[in-house]
Amino acid sequence: MNTKSVTVIGLGPMGQAMADAYLDSGYEVTVWNRTAGRADRLVARGARRARTVEAALTANDLVVLSLTDYDAVYAILEQAPSAALAGRTVANLTSDTPEKARQAAAWLAERGAVQITGGVQVPPPGIGKPGATTYYSGPESAIEAHRSALEVLTDIDHLGEDPGLAALFYQIGMDMFWTGILSYVHAQAVAEANGISAERFLPNAVKTMDFRYFLEFYAPRIAAGNHEGDVDRLAMGVASMEHVLHTVEASGVDGSLPAAVLDVFRRGVAAGHGQDSLTSLIEVLRR
Ligand code: NDP
């Protein structure tokens, strides 16, 4: 087989960007998608349309999956005989839970295929661009065998052999991303309610969202189990969040997000952490 050849299954915005990046890099690209019409633009660019999932799988050693979730992965792969998977490396760049990633790796291993789990860290326009990264986990040998093809898409951050690890890092990153970005959207709603435009607020928002100093300060303390309240105290956090909530509600903006934060802070104080750092909440949050 041509070493510069790959199959891409799943042509949502992400799969399309990936197929484009491979075509741009001179790869022979075989594509398959449930809604066949989504392949038309890529076929016009030179991609080969597989008529069946089996044909898509057997066309190449490396099969890239970019699907909504792992239910879609099985819905597609079960359309082909198991033999079509034997010997393939499946770069599963579909987001889902760590447990589902581990189950899929085992399911593929039973059929003679190797899964590399991937969690892409950029939106579709970032694919093939410098600075883009994907979390990968799975066998080092499989990643090394397909390094050059994977690097057409993004840089590789190989986290370890456990197939669930890339999904875990992806999900904890999304935990931060969604709550962080929602905090921006919420703050902008309060700003707008007070006549402050997104452009005017932007420089302040950028400064406030730069948590690097705090992360680098807290991480070694958390690692050492040190939640000393020498710099910040949770009791201060409660008072601060009460001021935030009052400001939000006085602005006529929904207060459920700051109220949820205040609730967590108050539970920390009730658990005896009022004089400890905010980081002591890790012990309250862990069930
Ligand atoms: P989409 O949800 O748009 O991908 C949809 C793809 O999954 C389509 O090919 C769709 O087929 C297929 N699909 C969904 N359900 C089924 C099913 N039951 N049977 C067969 N095919 C199915 O996602 P994106 O393209 O945006 O992203 C793909 C993956 O990349 C996701 O896991 C996402 O979390 C991840 N990702 C996305 C980013 C983004 O910004 N878009 C950023 C980082 C990661 P059809 O066309 O027929 O509907």
Side-chain angles (χ1 to χ4, degrees), residues 10-14 33-35 38 66-68 72 95 120 122 124 170:
L11 301 174
M14 187 56 91
N33 194 58
R34 175 181 61 177
T35 307
R38 294 228 162 91
S66 177
L67 300 162
T68 305
S95 314
V120 180
V122 287
Y170 182 90

Side-chain angles (χ1 to χ4, degrees), residues 111-170:
R111 286 153 183 82
V114 174
Q115 174 173 283
I116 302 170
T117 315
V120 180
Q121 293 301 295
V122 287
I127 296 297
K129 304 281 174 4
T133 308
T134 298
Y135 294 143
Y136 282 104
S137 65
E140 174 100 41
S141 55
I143 289 178
E144 287 313 316
H146 296 286
R147 175 170 283 279
S148 59
L150 297 174
E151 283 180 341
V152 168
L153 305 178
T154 65
D155 292 345
I156 294 171
D157 185 356
H158 185 207
L159 300 164
E161 300 267 323
D162 168 8
L165 211 48
L168 178 66
F169 270 71
Y170 182 90

